[in-house]
Amino acid sequence: MAVPTKNIPAPDLVPVRRALLSVFDKTGLIDFAKALAAAGVELVSTGGTAKAIAEAGLAVRDVSELTGFPEIMDGRVKTLHPSVHGALLGIRDDAEHAKAMRDHRIEPIDLVVSNLYPFEEVRRSGAGYASIVENIDIGGPAMIRASAKNHAYVAIVTDPSDYASVVNALEMNLGSLSLDFRKMLAAKAFARTATYDAAISGWFAEALEIEHPTWRAFGGRLDQVMRYGENPHQGAGFYLSGDKRPGVATARQLQGKQLSYNNINDTDAAFELVGEFDPARSAAIAIIKHANPCGVAEGPSLKAAYAKALACDPVSAFGGIVAMNRILDAEAAEEIVKTFTEVIIAPDATDEAAAIVAAKKNLRLLVTGGLPDPRAAGTTAKSVAGGLLVQSRDNAVVDDLELKVVTKRAPTPAELADLKFAFRVAKHVKSNAIVYAKDGATVGIGAGQMSRVDSSRIAARKALDAAEAAGLAEPLTKGSVVASDAFFPFADGLLSAIEAGATAVIQPGGSMRDEDVIAAADEHGIAMVFTGVRHFRH
């Protein structure tokens, strides 16, 4: 049964006569406090906030004057008191509430300024369990939620970026705040505490190794409102979760126009893929279009790797995303800008490279400061009607897998190196995925087909097209290896790869017809290894 409602209409304008300020982040605090004081607002505060305000020469009452009770337990208990929460929750036009406030000498509070202990930052810092727990704010969320619930009479400010708009609204309304404005602040306040609690509950699940908690919450802060989503008729915004994994969300954009929804999606896919390649071993380039790679390659330099990656599918690379695992240098930048490119993302860029890219004013250049760890644990979520699908990140790395040779012929060392390369790439290709590779470069990619044999044929067809464009006598799939993200359910997909010229195959295995597929491989004298791990990507 719902809580009964008294249906007392909320006033439009509420004068702000008393404000309670209790903040951890003191950005802009003193200027805001000065503006409130100049508007005739009485300032009430707590602990370090009160000290900062007093040191600025402003009159401020300690909250203990309202409560008649000092801060105790290292500041854990200071605002959790009826004199504070009664001042925030009282319905002033309700006779019973008004009488209770008079009887208990509760002075109304019209404005609350509160932000929270830095739980998210402390968690990310790698602090110990006790330190993280100590940075779970209790009094702050309680005050914020109480004020937001009673927005009919109380304004709640949780973000320093809103200080200027509050001052402006007070000036416009001669010391009052409107109901619409208070509603807007309340909505933002509830979103902030929800995000805060999501971070706490997520940490607890992680710390206690609870893979599937009964209640799962996700939160984020708006980073940018986009012109549109995947299509022009769809609205879109980009929210930051606070995860510091190197990538598009944490990158600095050195130049270029605003990233679109599709840019961000594709750039994330590109950088996660290139993160599979150790920069200490070789340079690597990934060219992405519509979240699928159209060319990936390793090389002694970024320039060499880019040339090999581009050769895989130069047509699809037009208007694509280019990701790399090393610092962008001038010679690589000169090659990349020759083809129309939407985004370049790299761990960093030299001044010379940045200047070359700057000549293309719309080309976005992002630097991340590092590479994503392909082995790191994490969580991904996907919305479906009425719910969320949540799973652990696919952090299986081919170098860590026990590969099993299942054919009469074992792969040569060169074939094995290319097989591992191809399987790294296949992990980041939409299923059904087929990847042909040769000499550390993709030479044919088939993605997102309903039939694995179709993916194999499409990849081979693309290799033929690339060979014609390059003036080659035969496609590079001749003498290549092939990777499949999942098992071959029938031998037809394998036979198609053999027809394209593949000499060795890497696949998870596990089909009811594995023996038929192995027999077909042996019949044609090719090598096959099983990984035991599947990389579906939908």
Side-chain angles (χ1 to χ4, degrees):
M1 185 175 178
V3 175
T5 304
K6 295 192 175 183
N7 291 321
I8 297 173
D12 181 19
L13 292 173
V14 171
V16 177
R17 300 186 178 94
R18 180 176 294 109
L20 172 56
L21 300 89
S22 180
V23 298
F24 185 89
D25 179 1
K26 296 177 176 57
T27 302
L29 170 68
I30 300 305
D31 287 341
F32 187 41
K34 287 179 178 178
L36 293 176
V41 179
E42 180 187 22
L43 306 181
V44 180
S45 191
T46 65
T49 307
K51 181 180 179 182
I53 293 171
E55 288 177 349
L58 298 172
V60 59
R61 292 175 65 187
D62 193 278
V63 74
S64 61
E65 292 184 38
L66 299 185
T67 64
F69 206 89
E71 290 187 19
I72 61 173
M73 301 177 181
D74 299 317
R76 279 191 171 198
V77 180
K78 50 193 173 188
T79 59
L80 296 168
H81 192 280
S83 292
V84 173
H85 285 271
L88 301 179
L89 286 166
I91 300 173
R92 296 168 197 179
D93 294 319
D94 180 288
E96 292 181 10
H97 285 213
K99 182 178 184 300
M101 293 177 76
R102 289 193 303 271
D103 290 348
H104 296 285
R105 299 179 181 178
I106 295 174
E107 303 175 46
I109 295 171
D110 311 303
L111 173 68
V112 173
V113 183
S114 180
N115 55 59
L116 307 174
Y117 292 168
F119 174 85
E120 296 100 329
E121 289 80 0
V122 173
R123 175 192 179 187
R124 288 193 297 266
S125 74
Y129 187 94
S131 180
I132 294 174
V133 169
E134 199 59 35
N135 278 276
I136 297 175
D137 204 329
I138 300 300
M143 280 199 305
I144 290 170
R145 288 174 58 82
S147 305
K149 175 173 181 174
N150 201 29
H151 61 267
Y153 300 95
V154 182
I156 172 64
V157 183
T158 56
D159 188 344
S161 69
D162 289 328
Y163 292 168
S165 62
V166 173
V167 172
N168 183 62
L170 287 170
E171 291 175 349
M172 293 286 291
N173 295 301
L174 303 177
S176 297
L177 294 176
S178 70
L179 178 59
D180 285 346
F181 190 72
R182 299 193 305 273
K183 285 180 178 179
M184 181 272 293
L185 291 173
K188 189 170 186 177
F190 277 120
R192 175 63 187 117
T193 57
T195 302
Y196 193 73
D197 286 339
I200 295 168
S201 63
W203 169 73
F204 263 114
E206 182 181 295
L208 300 177
E209 298 182 351
I210 302 172
E211 187 174 4
H212 303 297
T214 303
W215 296 96
R216 169 77 79 172
F218 294 92
R221 182 186 180 104
L222 181 65
D223 181 65
Q224 60 178 283
V225 176
M226 298 167 171
R227 288 192 300 139
Y228 55 84
E230 282 187 289
N231 301 291
H233 64 279
Q234 295 173 268
F238 184 36
Y239 288 80
L240 304 182
S241 68
D243 184 358
K244 293 303 182 183
R245 184 176 178 84
V248 65
T250 58
R252 287 188 302 120
Q253 185 169 343
L254 300 186
Q255 73 142 70
K257 60 184 179 180
Q258 182 186 28
L259 292 163
S260 70
Y261 181 100
N262 290 328
N263 289 154
I264 289 174
N265 187 55
D266 292 349
T267 303
D268 177 71
F271 206 57
E272 286 291 324
L273 193 165
V274 87
E276 299 278 347
F277 297 93
D278 183 356
R281 184 182 65 234
S282 65
I285 291 281
I287 306 172
I288 296 289
K289 196 73 170 288
H290 301 303
N292 272 311
C294 49
V296 184
E298 291 182 297
S301 68
L302 290 174
K303 179 181 178 180
Y306 177 74
K308 292 166 68 178
L310 183 64
C312 180
D313 189 353
V315 174
S316 297
F318 185 84
I321 311 294
V322 176
M324 61 206 66
N325 67 344
R326 288 182 179 176
I327 296 171
L328 176 64
D329 53 44
E331 66 170 8
E334 287 176 346
E335 291 302 311
I336 293 170
V337 299
K338 290 177 182 178
T339 299
F340 171 57
T341 300
E342 291 276 6
V343 182
I344 298 172
I345 184 169
D348 208 340
T350 66
D351 291 342
E352 295 83 358
I356 292 167
V357 176
K360 305 287 185 178
K361 66 177 183 178
N362 288 331
L363 172 55
R364 296 89 158 179
L365 175 58
L366 306 180
V367 295
T368 64
L371 289 168
D373 180 0
R375 294 178 173 84
T379 300
T380 66
K382 179 180 180 181
S383 64
V384 296
L388 290 171
L389 285 170
V390 180
Q391 66 175 347
S392 58
R393 179 186 290 124
D394 183 356
N395 62 351
V397 175
V398 67
D399 290 330
D400 303 334
L401 304 180
E402 184 177 345
L403 304 184
K404 179 183 178 183
V405 178
V406 294
T407 47
K408 295 175 181 177
R409 183 174 80 79
T412 67
E415 286 175 329
L416 183 59
D418 278 339
L419 288 170
K420 290 182 176 181
F421 172 91
F423 203 64
R424 281 192 195 92
V425 176
K427 175 181 173 181
H428 295 268
V429 179
K430 301 293 185 182
S431 299
N432 287 314
I434 292 291
V435 176
Y436 293 90
K438 185 176 183 179
D439 298 330
T442 57
V443 294
I445 301 173
Q449 298 304 304
M450 292 68 73
S451 163
R452 193 160 300 278
V453 67
D454 286 344
S455 288
S456 186
R457 289 168 178 163
I458 287 170
R461 178 67 251 182
K462 281 186 167 291
L464 281 170
D465 293 342
E468 290 176 6
L472 301 177
E474 61 180 10
L476 291 177
T477 49
K478 298 296 183 181
S480 69
V481 305
V482 66
S484 175
D485 64 335
F487 61 66
F488 287 100
F490 302 97
D492 53 359
L494 174 66
L495 293 173
S496 179
I498 294 171
E499 184 180 345
T503 64
V505 181
I506 186 169
Q507 59 136 320
S511 167
M512 293 176 59
R513 296 179 177 82
D514 273 349
E515 293 304 318
D516 294 342
V517 176
I518 294 169
D522 282 333
E523 182 181 347
H524 290 83
I526 70 167
M528 182 183 292
V529 298
F530 283 1
T531 65
V533 171
R534 186 180 74 184
H535 283 311
F536 268 166
R537 190 176 186 86
H538 294 112

